Amino acid sequence: MKNKWSCLAIACLATLLLSLDLTVLHLALPRLVTDLGANSTQLLWIGDMYGFALAGLLVTMGNLGDRIGRKRLLLIGAAAFGAASVVTAYAPNAELLIAARALLGVAGATIMPSTLSIVRNVFTEPGERTAAIGIWSGMSAAGFAVGPVVGGLLLDHFWWGSVFLINVPIMLLVLAGGALVLPESRNPHAGRPDLVSVVLSFAGVVTAVYAIKEAAHQGLEHADVLVAGAAGVLLLGLFVWRQTRLREPLIDVRLFRRRAFSASIVTNLLAIFTMSAMMLMFGWYLQLVLGWSPLQAGLAQLPGGLSGAVGGILAAKLIHRIGRNGVVALGLAMNAGAFLYYSTLGPTLNYLVLLPVMIIGGVGIGFTFTVNNDNVLATAPRERAGAAAAVSETAFELGGALGIAILGTVLNTAYQSNLQLPPGLPSADSARESIAGAVSTAATLPPQQADQLMRAAQTAFIEGLHMTALVTAALLAIVTVLALIGLRGVPKVIPEEVLTHA
Protein backbone atom coordinates (compact mmCIF):
# COMPACT_ATOMS: atom_id res chain seq x y z
CA MET A 1 0.00 0.00 0.00
CA LYS A 2 1.51 3.30 -1.15
CA ASN A 3 -0.09 5.42 1.55
CA LYS A 4 0.63 3.18 4.54
CA TRP A 5 3.15 5.59 6.08
CA SER A 6 0.59 8.37 5.71
CA CYS A 7 -1.87 6.09 7.55
CA LEU A 8 0.70 5.68 10.31
CA ALA A 9 1.12 9.46 10.56
CA ILE A 10 -2.64 9.91 11.04
CA ALA A 11 -2.74 7.15 13.68
CA CYS A 12 0.25 8.64 15.51
CA LEU A 13 -1.25 12.14 15.47
CA ALA A 14 -4.45 10.90 17.09
CA THR A 15 -2.52 8.80 19.62
CA LEU A 16 -0.25 11.72 20.53
CA LEU A 17 -3.26 13.89 21.28
CA LEU A 18 -4.96 11.25 23.44
CA SER A 19 -1.80 10.69 25.49
CA LEU A 20 -1.29 14.43 25.87
CA ASP A 21 -4.89 14.86 27.04
CA LEU A 22 -4.33 12.42 29.90
CA THR A 23 -1.73 14.70 31.52
CA VAL A 24 -2.31 18.22 30.20
CA LEU A 25 -5.11 18.92 32.72
CA HIS A 26 -3.03 18.19 35.84
CA LEU A 27 -1.52 21.67 36.04
CA ALA A 28 -4.89 23.34 35.48
CA LEU A 29 -6.64 21.77 38.49
CA PRO A 30 -5.68 24.57 40.94
CA ARG A 31 -7.19 27.16 38.58
CA LEU A 32 -10.51 25.30 38.57
CA VAL A 33 -10.87 25.93 42.29
CA THR A 34 -10.81 29.70 41.81
CA ASP A 35 -12.45 29.97 38.38
CA LEU A 36 -15.26 27.43 38.78
CA GLY A 37 -15.43 27.10 42.55
CA ALA A 38 -14.78 23.35 42.31
CA ASN A 39 -14.53 21.57 45.65
CA SER A 40 -12.13 18.73 46.43
CA THR A 41 -14.61 16.00 45.44
CA GLN A 42 -15.39 17.70 42.15
CA LEU A 43 -11.68 18.09 41.42
CA LEU A 44 -11.23 14.33 41.83
CA TRP A 45 -14.08 13.63 39.42
CA ILE A 46 -12.80 16.21 36.92
CA GLY A 47 -9.43 14.48 36.95
CA ASP A 48 -10.76 10.89 36.95
CA MET A 49 -13.91 10.97 34.79
CA TYR A 50 -12.00 10.92 31.50
CA GLY A 51 -10.05 7.83 32.56
CA PHE A 52 -13.19 6.06 33.88
CA ALA A 53 -15.10 6.48 30.60
CA LEU A 54 -12.03 5.66 28.50
CA ALA A 55 -11.10 2.49 30.38
CA GLY A 56 -14.68 1.28 30.68
CA LEU A 57 -15.45 1.50 26.96
CA LEU A 58 -12.16 0.41 25.36
CA VAL A 59 -13.21 -3.23 24.95
CA THR A 60 -16.65 -2.30 23.60
CA MET A 61 -15.31 0.29 21.14
CA GLY A 62 -12.46 -1.94 19.96
CA ASN A 63 -15.00 -4.63 19.16
CA LEU A 64 -17.34 -2.11 17.54
CA GLY A 65 -14.53 -1.00 15.23
CA ASP A 66 -14.00 -4.59 14.15
CA ARG A 67 -17.70 -4.77 13.30
CA ILE A 68 -18.54 -1.45 11.62
CA GLY A 69 -15.08 -0.47 10.33
CA ARG A 70 -12.04 0.97 12.10
CA LYS A 71 -11.75 4.00 9.81
CA ARG A 72 -15.43 4.87 10.30
CA LEU A 73 -15.16 4.58 14.08
CA LEU A 74 -11.94 6.62 14.18
CA LEU A 75 -13.48 9.47 12.17
CA ILE A 76 -16.64 9.45 14.29
CA GLY A 77 -14.54 9.46 17.44
CA ALA A 78 -12.29 12.26 16.18
CA ALA A 79 -15.28 14.48 15.38
CA ALA A 80 -16.83 13.75 18.78
CA PHE A 81 -13.51 14.40 20.54
CA GLY A 82 -13.13 17.80 18.89
CA ALA A 83 -16.70 18.81 19.75
CA ALA A 84 -16.37 17.60 23.34
CA SER A 85 -13.10 19.54 23.66
CA VAL A 86 -14.92 22.80 22.85
CA VAL A 87 -17.66 22.02 25.39
CA THR A 88 -15.01 21.19 27.98
CA ALA A 89 -13.02 24.38 27.35
CA TYR A 90 -16.04 26.63 27.88
CA ALA A 91 -17.74 24.67 30.69
CA PRO A 92 -19.31 27.31 33.00
CA ASN A 93 -19.36 25.13 36.12
CA ALA A 94 -17.75 22.02 37.59
CA GLU A 95 -20.78 19.79 36.93
CA LEU A 96 -20.77 20.45 33.19
CA LEU A 97 -16.99 20.09 33.09
CA ILE A 98 -17.28 16.61 34.64
CA ALA A 99 -19.92 15.64 32.06
CA ALA A 100 -17.78 17.02 29.22
CA ARG A 101 -14.77 15.05 30.48
CA ALA A 102 -16.93 11.91 30.35
CA LEU A 103 -17.77 12.68 26.69
CA LEU A 104 -14.06 13.11 25.98
CA GLY A 105 -13.43 9.68 27.50
CA VAL A 106 -16.14 8.06 25.36
CA ALA A 107 -14.67 9.64 22.22
CA GLY A 108 -11.15 8.67 23.27
CA ALA A 109 -12.24 5.05 23.68
CA THR A 110 -13.26 4.98 20.00
CA ILE A 111 -9.94 6.42 18.84
CA MET A 112 -7.32 4.54 20.84
CA PRO A 113 -7.96 0.92 19.73
CA SER A 114 -8.88 2.10 16.21
CA THR A 115 -5.45 3.64 15.63
CA LEU A 116 -3.56 0.52 16.68
CA SER A 117 -5.81 -1.88 14.78
CA ILE A 118 -5.48 0.26 11.62
CA VAL A 119 -1.70 0.05 11.93
CA ARG A 120 -2.01 -3.74 12.36
CA ASN A 121 -4.10 -4.09 9.20
CA VAL A 122 -2.11 -1.68 7.03
CA PHE A 123 1.33 -3.09 7.83
CA THR A 124 1.14 -6.77 6.93
CA GLU A 125 4.89 -7.37 6.51
CA PRO A 126 6.18 -8.45 9.97
CA GLY A 127 9.29 -6.28 10.08
CA GLU A 128 7.46 -3.15 8.94
CA ARG A 129 4.61 -3.88 11.35
CA THR A 130 6.98 -3.99 14.31
CA ALA A 131 8.68 -0.77 13.21
CA ALA A 132 5.30 0.95 12.75
CA ILE A 133 4.08 -0.14 16.18
CA GLY A 134 7.38 1.11 17.60
CA ILE A 135 6.73 4.56 16.14
CA TRP A 136 3.13 4.46 17.39
CA SER A 137 4.28 3.48 20.90
CA GLY A 138 6.90 6.21 20.85
CA MET A 139 4.33 8.86 19.99
CA SER A 140 2.16 7.65 22.86
CA ALA A 141 5.09 7.97 25.27
CA ALA A 142 5.96 11.41 23.87
CA GLY A 143 2.39 12.60 24.49
CA PHE A 144 2.60 11.77 28.18
CA ALA A 145 5.86 13.72 28.46
CA VAL A 146 4.75 16.71 26.41
CA GLY A 147 1.41 17.13 28.22
CA PRO A 148 2.71 18.92 31.34
CA VAL A 149 4.96 21.15 29.23
CA VAL A 150 2.17 22.19 26.86
CA GLY A 151 -0.16 22.67 29.81
CA GLY A 152 2.36 24.85 31.60
CA LEU A 153 3.00 27.02 28.55
CA LEU A 154 -0.69 27.55 27.85
CA LEU A 155 -1.56 28.30 31.47
CA ASP A 156 1.20 30.90 31.63
CA HIS A 157 -0.56 32.90 28.89
CA PHE A 158 -4.22 31.82 28.67
CA TRP A 159 -7.13 30.56 30.78
CA TRP A 160 -7.54 26.93 31.84
CA GLY A 161 -9.83 26.03 28.92
CA SER A 162 -7.00 26.61 26.44
CA VAL A 163 -5.52 23.20 27.33
CA PHE A 164 -8.54 21.61 25.65
CA LEU A 165 -8.87 23.90 22.63
CA ILE A 166 -5.52 22.69 21.29
CA ASN A 167 -7.35 19.42 20.54
CA VAL A 168 -9.57 21.02 17.91
CA PRO A 169 -7.10 21.85 15.10
CA ILE A 170 -5.28 18.54 15.58
CA MET A 171 -8.52 16.58 15.36
CA LEU A 172 -9.48 18.52 12.21
CA LEU A 173 -6.20 17.32 10.68
CA VAL A 174 -6.99 13.75 11.72
CA LEU A 175 -10.46 14.01 10.18
CA ALA A 176 -9.23 15.47 6.88
CA GLY A 177 -6.20 13.21 6.55
CA GLY A 178 -8.06 10.12 7.74
CA ALA A 179 -10.89 10.61 5.25
CA LEU A 180 -8.36 10.89 2.42
CA VAL A 181 -5.77 8.20 3.14
CA LEU A 182 -7.06 5.64 5.64
CA PRO A 183 -8.39 2.38 4.17
CA GLU A 184 -11.47 0.79 5.65
CA SER A 185 -11.12 -2.57 7.37
CA ARG A 186 -13.50 -4.68 9.44
CA ASN A 187 -14.25 -8.21 10.50
CA PRO A 188 -16.36 -9.60 7.60
CA HIS A 189 -17.83 -12.33 9.81
CA ALA A 190 -18.78 -10.20 12.83
CA GLY A 191 -22.22 -10.77 14.29
CA ARG A 192 -24.40 -8.54 16.42
CA PRO A 193 -22.78 -7.14 19.60
CA ASP A 194 -23.93 -8.75 22.84
CA LEU A 195 -25.39 -5.93 24.96
CA VAL A 196 -25.08 -7.90 28.19
CA SER A 197 -21.35 -8.25 27.57
CA VAL A 198 -21.11 -4.52 26.87
CA VAL A 199 -22.75 -3.70 30.22
CA LEU A 200 -20.64 -6.25 32.13
CA SER A 201 -17.43 -4.97 30.51
CA PHE A 202 -18.14 -1.30 31.21
CA ALA A 203 -19.46 -1.79 34.73
CA GLY A 204 -16.69 -4.23 35.67
CA VAL A 205 -13.80 -2.07 34.48
CA VAL A 206 -15.22 1.19 35.88
CA THR A 207 -15.95 -0.25 39.33
CA ALA A 208 -12.52 -1.91 39.44
CA VAL A 209 -10.72 1.30 38.46
CA TYR A 210 -12.87 3.30 40.92
CA ALA A 211 -11.97 0.90 43.74
CA ILE A 212 -8.28 1.15 42.92
CA LYS A 213 -8.30 4.95 42.79
CA GLU A 214 -10.37 5.35 45.95
CA ALA A 215 -8.16 2.88 47.82
CA ALA A 216 -5.28 5.26 47.13
CA HIS A 217 -7.26 8.22 48.51
CA GLN A 218 -9.15 6.62 51.41
CA GLY A 219 -7.48 3.31 52.19
CA LEU A 220 -8.85 -0.23 51.98
CA GLU A 221 -10.88 -0.01 55.18
CA HIS A 222 -13.68 2.11 53.68
CA ALA A 223 -16.88 0.25 52.78
CA ASP A 224 -17.33 1.82 49.32
CA VAL A 225 -13.82 0.74 48.30
CA LEU A 226 -14.44 -2.86 49.39
CA VAL A 227 -17.89 -3.00 47.77
CA ALA A 228 -16.62 -1.50 44.50
CA GLY A 229 -13.62 -3.85 44.45
CA ALA A 230 -15.77 -6.94 45.04
CA ALA A 231 -18.30 -5.77 42.44
CA GLY A 232 -15.56 -5.17 39.88
CA VAL A 233 -14.09 -8.63 40.35
CA LEU A 234 -17.54 -10.26 40.17
CA LEU A 235 -18.63 -8.33 37.07
CA LEU A 236 -15.38 -8.99 35.22
CA GLY A 237 -15.59 -12.66 36.16
CA LEU A 238 -19.14 -12.83 34.76
CA PHE A 239 -17.93 -11.03 31.62
CA VAL A 240 -15.17 -13.60 31.01
CA TRP A 241 -17.60 -16.47 31.72
CA ARG A 242 -20.11 -15.10 29.24
CA GLN A 243 -17.46 -14.71 26.52
CA THR A 244 -16.74 -18.44 26.63
CA ARG A 245 -20.39 -19.16 25.80
CA LEU A 246 -21.00 -16.69 22.99
CA ARG A 247 -20.62 -17.51 19.31
CA GLU A 248 -19.37 -13.97 18.63
CA PRO A 249 -17.84 -12.69 21.91
CA LEU A 250 -16.55 -9.17 22.53
CA ILE A 251 -13.20 -10.77 23.39
CA ASP A 252 -12.09 -14.19 22.25
CA VAL A 253 -10.72 -15.39 25.60
CA ARG A 254 -8.98 -18.25 23.78
CA LEU A 255 -6.37 -15.66 22.78
CA PHE A 256 -5.07 -15.87 26.34
CA ARG A 257 -4.06 -19.47 25.67
CA ARG A 258 -1.39 -18.07 23.34
CA ARG A 259 1.63 -17.53 25.55
CA ALA A 260 2.93 -14.53 23.60
CA PHE A 261 -0.46 -12.80 23.94
CA SER A 262 -1.07 -13.45 27.64
CA ALA A 263 2.57 -12.92 28.69
CA SER A 264 2.69 -9.59 26.83
CA ILE A 265 -0.57 -8.38 28.42
CA VAL A 266 0.62 -9.30 31.93
CA THR A 267 4.11 -7.85 31.37
CA ASN A 268 2.68 -4.59 30.04
CA LEU A 269 0.30 -4.31 32.99
CA LEU A 270 3.11 -4.87 35.50
CA ALA A 271 5.46 -2.55 33.61
CA ILE A 272 3.05 0.40 33.58
CA PHE A 273 2.27 -0.43 37.22
CA THR A 274 5.88 0.39 38.06
CA MET A 275 6.32 3.22 35.52
CA SER A 276 3.38 5.13 37.00
CA ALA A 277 5.45 5.46 40.18
CA MET A 278 8.01 7.54 38.29
CA MET A 279 5.47 10.21 37.28
CA LEU A 280 4.06 10.27 40.80
CA MET A 281 7.45 10.55 42.53
CA PHE A 282 9.03 13.08 40.20
CA GLY A 283 6.02 15.37 40.08
CA TRP A 284 6.17 15.78 43.86
CA TYR A 285 9.93 15.61 44.25
CA LEU A 286 10.78 18.29 41.71
CA GLN A 287 8.09 20.72 42.86
CA LEU A 288 7.66 20.14 46.59
CA VAL A 289 11.24 19.19 47.56
CA LEU A 290 13.33 21.11 45.04
CA GLY A 291 10.83 23.97 44.70
CA TRP A 292 10.68 23.96 40.89
CA SER A 293 7.71 25.44 39.06
CA PRO A 294 5.25 23.10 37.26
CA LEU A 295 6.69 24.15 33.90
CA GLN A 296 10.26 23.53 35.06
CA ALA A 297 9.24 20.11 36.38
CA GLY A 298 7.54 19.28 33.08
CA LEU A 299 10.55 20.35 31.04
CA ALA A 300 12.88 18.36 33.31
CA GLN A 301 10.92 15.16 32.67
CA LEU A 302 10.53 15.78 28.94
CA PRO A 303 13.76 14.02 27.81
CA GLY A 304 12.70 10.82 29.57
CA GLY A 305 9.39 10.72 27.72
CA LEU A 306 10.86 11.67 24.35
CA SER A 307 13.54 8.99 24.67
CA GLY A 308 10.67 6.48 24.87
CA ALA A 309 9.98 7.36 21.23
CA VAL A 310 13.62 6.59 20.39
CA GLY A 311 13.36 3.24 22.18
CA GLY A 312 10.24 2.39 20.22
CA ILE A 313 12.03 2.94 16.92
CA LEU A 314 15.15 1.02 17.98
CA ALA A 315 13.19 -1.96 19.32
CA ALA A 316 12.35 -3.36 15.89
CA LYS A 317 16.03 -3.62 14.95
CA LEU A 318 17.06 -5.02 18.31
CA ILE A 319 14.59 -7.93 18.07
CA HIS A 320 16.74 -9.55 15.38
CA ARG A 321 19.76 -9.53 17.67
CA ILE A 322 18.45 -10.66 21.06
CA GLY A 323 14.90 -11.85 20.42
CA ARG A 324 11.57 -10.53 21.59
CA ASN A 325 11.92 -11.70 25.17
CA GLY A 326 15.44 -10.25 25.26
CA VAL A 327 14.28 -6.77 24.15
CA VAL A 328 11.40 -6.67 26.66
CA ALA A 329 13.65 -7.93 29.47
CA LEU A 330 16.39 -5.45 28.55
CA GLY A 331 13.92 -2.56 28.69
CA LEU A 332 12.67 -3.65 32.09
CA ALA A 333 16.20 -4.14 33.41
CA MET A 334 17.17 -0.64 32.23
CA ASN A 335 14.30 0.76 34.26
CA ALA A 336 15.20 -1.33 37.29
CA GLY A 337 18.67 0.24 37.17
CA ALA A 338 17.16 3.72 36.80
CA PHE A 339 15.00 3.23 39.90
CA LEU A 340 18.02 2.05 41.86
CA TYR A 341 19.57 5.43 41.09
CA TYR A 342 16.34 7.23 42.05
CA SER A 343 16.67 5.64 45.51
CA THR A 344 19.76 7.82 46.08
CA LEU A 345 18.14 11.21 45.34
CA GLY A 346 18.43 13.82 48.05
CA PRO A 347 17.36 17.38 48.92
CA THR A 348 19.61 18.77 46.18
CA LEU A 349 19.93 17.56 42.60
CA ASN A 350 22.58 17.57 39.89
CA TYR A 351 20.28 17.44 36.85
CA LEU A 352 23.14 16.60 34.49
CA VAL A 353 23.58 13.34 36.41
CA LEU A 354 19.85 12.60 36.49
CA LEU A 355 19.37 13.30 32.77
CA PRO A 356 21.18 10.24 31.32
CA VAL A 357 19.45 7.98 33.86
CA MET A 358 16.05 9.29 32.77
CA ILE A 359 16.97 8.77 29.12
CA ILE A 360 18.07 5.19 29.78
CA GLY A 361 14.78 4.52 31.55
CA GLY A 362 12.80 6.15 28.74
CA VAL A 363 14.50 4.09 26.04
CA GLY A 364 13.77 0.99 28.13
CA ILE A 365 10.07 1.91 28.28
CA GLY A 366 10.09 2.20 24.49
CA PHE A 367 11.66 -1.26 24.16
CA THR A 368 9.14 -2.90 26.47
CA PHE A 369 5.89 -1.40 25.23
CA THR A 370 6.75 -1.62 21.53
CA VAL A 371 7.53 -5.32 21.55
CA ASN A 372 4.63 -6.20 23.85
CA ASN A 373 2.12 -4.25 21.75
CA ASP A 374 3.47 -5.93 18.62
CA ASN A 375 3.19 -9.35 20.28
CA VAL A 376 -0.43 -8.72 21.24
CA LEU A 377 -1.47 -7.64 17.76
CA ALA A 378 0.69 -10.19 15.96
CA THR A 379 -0.79 -13.13 17.84
CA ALA A 380 -4.39 -12.05 17.23
CA PRO A 381 -6.16 -12.54 13.86
CA ARG A 382 -6.36 -9.39 11.76
CA GLU A 383 -10.17 -9.40 11.88
CA ARG A 384 -9.98 -9.21 15.71
CA ALA A 385 -7.31 -6.50 15.80
CA GLY A 386 -9.57 -3.90 17.40
CA ALA A 387 -10.59 -6.19 20.25
CA ALA A 388 -6.96 -7.24 20.82
CA ALA A 389 -5.79 -3.61 20.87
CA ALA A 390 -8.56 -2.79 23.35
CA VAL A 391 -7.41 -5.56 25.71
CA SER A 392 -3.87 -4.18 25.61
CA GLU A 393 -5.03 -0.62 26.28
CA THR A 394 -7.35 -1.73 29.10
CA ALA A 395 -4.45 -3.54 30.78
CA PHE A 396 -2.45 -0.30 30.40
CA GLU A 397 -5.19 1.70 32.17
CA LEU A 398 -5.60 -0.85 34.96
CA GLY A 399 -1.85 -1.12 35.48
CA GLY A 400 -1.48 2.65 35.74
CA ALA A 401 -4.31 2.94 38.26
CA LEU A 402 -2.92 0.06 40.33
CA GLY A 403 0.58 1.51 40.30
CA ILE A 404 -0.49 4.94 41.52
CA ALA A 405 -2.74 3.39 44.19
CA ILE A 406 -0.30 0.81 45.57
CA LEU A 407 3.04 2.54 45.09
CA GLY A 408 1.48 5.84 46.10
CA THR A 409 0.42 4.14 49.31
CA VAL A 410 3.97 2.88 49.85
CA LEU A 411 5.25 6.43 49.35
CA ASN A 412 2.73 8.00 51.74
CA THR A 413 3.13 5.29 54.38
CA ALA A 414 6.90 5.69 54.40
CA TYR A 415 6.48 9.49 54.54
CA GLN A 416 4.14 9.27 57.52
CA SER A 417 6.33 6.82 59.44
CA ASN A 418 9.45 8.95 58.92
CA LEU A 419 7.88 12.35 59.60
CA GLN A 420 9.20 14.01 62.76
CA LEU A 421 7.22 17.21 63.23
CA PRO A 422 8.79 20.13 65.11
CA PRO A 423 7.13 20.86 68.48
CA GLY A 424 4.54 23.59 68.95
CA LEU A 425 2.65 23.35 65.65
CA PRO A 426 -0.94 24.60 66.08
CA SER A 427 -2.40 22.07 63.59
CA ALA A 428 -0.49 19.24 61.94
CA ASP A 429 -3.12 16.75 60.76
CA SER A 430 -2.82 17.80 57.12
CA ALA A 431 0.98 17.80 57.29
CA ARG A 432 0.93 14.22 58.60
CA GLU A 433 -1.08 12.99 55.61
CA SER A 434 1.28 14.00 52.79
CA ILE A 435 3.97 16.45 51.75
CA ALA A 436 1.33 18.40 49.82
CA GLY A 437 -0.56 18.80 53.09
CA ALA A 438 2.65 19.98 54.75
CA VAL A 439 3.03 22.66 52.06
CA SER A 440 -0.53 23.87 52.69
CA THR A 441 0.03 23.92 56.45
CA ALA A 442 3.35 25.75 56.10
CA ALA A 443 1.62 28.55 54.17
CA THR A 444 -0.39 29.38 57.29
CA LEU A 445 2.56 29.44 59.73
CA PRO A 446 5.13 32.08 60.70
CA PRO A 447 8.31 31.87 58.59
CA GLN A 448 10.46 30.08 61.19
CA GLN A 449 7.87 27.38 61.94
CA ALA A 450 7.08 27.01 58.23
CA ASP A 451 10.75 26.45 57.45
CA GLN A 452 11.07 23.81 60.21
CA LEU A 453 7.96 22.00 59.01
CA MET A 454 9.09 21.96 55.38
CA ARG A 455 12.53 20.62 56.27
CA ALA A 456 10.92 17.81 58.28
CA ALA A 457 8.39 17.03 55.53
CA GLN A 458 11.01 17.04 52.77
CA THR A 459 13.28 14.74 54.77
CA ALA A 460 10.39 12.32 55.36
CA PHE A 461 9.36 12.47 51.70
CA ILE A 462 12.87 11.67 50.52
CA GLU A 463 12.87 8.62 52.79
CA GLY A 464 9.55 7.59 51.26
CA LEU A 465 10.91 8.17 47.76
CA HIS A 466 13.88 5.92 48.54
CA MET A 467 11.61 3.15 49.80
CA THR A 468 9.26 3.42 46.81
CA ALA A 469 12.13 3.44 44.33
CA LEU A 470 13.68 0.32 45.88
CA VAL A 471 10.34 -1.51 45.88
CA THR A 472 9.79 -0.52 42.25
CA ALA A 473 13.29 -1.66 41.24
CA ALA A 474 12.66 -5.03 42.90
CA LEU A 475 9.31 -5.42 41.11
CA LEU A 476 10.92 -4.55 37.79
CA ALA A 477 13.62 -7.16 38.38
CA ILE A 478 10.91 -9.78 38.97
CA VAL A 479 9.00 -8.72 35.85
CA THR A 480 12.27 -8.92 33.88
CA VAL A 481 12.56 -12.60 34.78
CA LEU A 482 8.88 -13.16 33.96
CA ALA A 483 9.41 -11.62 30.52
CA LEU A 484 12.45 -13.77 29.80
CA ILE A 485 10.51 -16.92 30.66
CA GLY A 486 7.01 -15.98 29.43
CA LEU A 487 8.14 -14.72 26.01
CA ARG A 488 10.80 -17.38 25.46
CA GLY A 489 10.41 -19.08 22.12
CA VAL A 490 8.31 -16.35 20.49
CA PRO A 491 9.69 -16.01 16.95
CA LYS A 492 11.71 -12.93 16.12
CA VAL A 493 9.59 -12.59 12.99
CA ILE A 494 5.97 -13.77 13.29
CA PRO A 495 4.69 -14.42 9.75
CA GLU A 496 1.07 -13.78 8.79
CA GLU A 497 0.23 -17.42 8.20
CA VAL A 498 1.29 -18.24 11.79
CA LEU A 499 -0.96 -15.48 13.10
CA THR A 500 -4.00 -16.79 11.34
CA HIS A 501 -3.69 -20.40 12.39
CA ALA A 502 -1.84 -20.22 15.72
Side-chain angles (χ1 to χ4, degrees), residues 333-495:
M334 290 165 69
N335 275 280
F339 274 95
L340 282 177
Y341 171 77
Y342 300 151
S343 70
T344 68
L345 294 174
T348 60
L349 174 69
N350 185 341
Y351 183 71
L352 293 180
V353 176
L354 175 66
L355 180 61
V357 179
M358 293 176 61
I359 291 174
I360 289 170
V363 172
I365 290 172
F367 286 169
T368 300
F369 290 139
T370 294
V371 178
N372 277 335
N373 284 332
D374 188 45
N375 289 343
V376 168
L377 292 178
T379 49
R382 289 176 63 187
E383 64 270 15
R384 305 284 299 179
V391 172
S392 179
E393 295 297 338
T394 302
F396 189 92
E397 294 292 328
L398 288 174
L402 277 169
I404 291 175
I406 296 175
L407 295 174
T409 300
V410 172
L411 182 63
N412 267 347
T413 301
Y415 165 83
Q416 292 165 5
S417 63
N418 285 283
L419 182 63
Q420 297 182 357
L421 292 172
L425 290 181
S427 175
D429 290 342
S430 180
R432 289 192 182 97
E433 289 183 3
S434 68
I435 189 172
V439 172
S440 299
T441 301
T444 66
L445 298 175
Q448 184 175 0
Q449 280 189 317
D451 185 59
Q452 290 175 342
L453 173 59
M454 285 310 302
R455 282 203 302 269
Q458 289 169 353
T459 299
F461 179 83
I462 290 170
E463 292 295 327
L465 184 151
H466 292 170
M467 175 62 72
T468 308
L470 287 173
V471 169
T472 305
L475 287 172
L476 282 166
I478 294 171
V479 181
T480 299
V481 176
L482 291 176
L484 281 172
I485 297 172
L487 297 174
R488 184 177 56 192
V490 179
K492 295 178 181 178
V493 177
I494 309 178

Side-chain angles (χ1 to χ4, degrees), residues 61-289:
M61 293 303 182
N63 192 274
L64 184 62
D66 288 339
R67 295 171 188 272
I68 71 170
R70 290 109 186 185
K71 173 183 177 178
R72 177 184 296 179
L73 188 64
L74 175 62
L75 296 181
I76 292 171
F81 198 90
S85 296
V86 175
V87 175
T88 307
Y90 291 102
N93 53 58
E95 291 79 9
L96 185 56
L97 180 57
I98 292 170
R101 289 282 287 168
L103 291 176
L104 277 174
V106 173
T110 69
I111 297 170
M112 192 172 287
S114 297
T115 59
L116 196 51
S117 56
I118 286 171
V119 172
R120 166 70 178 84
N121 278 271
V122 168
F123 291 88
T124 56
E125 195 279 319
E128 284 190 343
R129 183 197 65 237
T130 305
I133 291 175
I135 295 171
W136 180 92
S137 298
M139 293 300 287
S140 180
F144 281 106
V146 170
V149 177
V150 172
L153 288 172
L154 289 172
L155 291 171
D156 277 351
H157 298 90
F158 305 102
W159 94 113
W160 62 266
S162 62
V163 302
F164 297 106
L165 287 184
I166 60 169
N167 299 341
V168 177
I170 299 177
M171 278 306 172
L172 288 175
L173 285 175
V174 171
L175 279 170
L180 290 174
V181 305
L182 290 180
E184 187 57 280
S185 62
R186 61 171 61 87
N187 181 356
H189 307 296
R192 294 174 62 86
D194 178 57
L195 295 181
V196 175
S197 295
V198 170
V199 173
L200 288 173
S201 169
F202 178 80
V205 172
V206 168
T207 52
V209 173
Y210 173 83
I212 292 167
K213 286 180 175 289
E214 287 302 301
H217 293 305
Q218 303 183 46
L220 291 172
E221 66 275 8
H222 287 261
D224 60 332
V225 175
L226 296 174
V227 170
V233 171
L234 176 62
L235 290 167
L236 290 175
L238 288 173
F239 171 78
V240 172
W241 175 81
R242 186 170 180 83
Q243 302 317 292
T244 63
R245 283 154 177 78
L246 291 175
R247 191 171 183 178
E248 288 292 334
L250 286 188
I251 295 176
D252 185 357
V253 293
R254 292 173 298 178
L255 287 173
F256 285 93
R257 297 175 185 172
R258 303 180 182 184
R259 188 158 51 87
F261 183 91
S262 56
S264 295
I265 292 292
V266 172
T267 305
N268 252 6
L269 187 150
L270 294 173
I272 191 60
F273 173 92
T274 57
M275 303 312 171
S276 61
M278 183 174 68
M279 295 184 65
L280 178 72
M281 290 192 311
F282 272 106
W284 289 7
Y285 172 71
L286 295 176
Q287 295 181 68
L288 302 182
V289 175

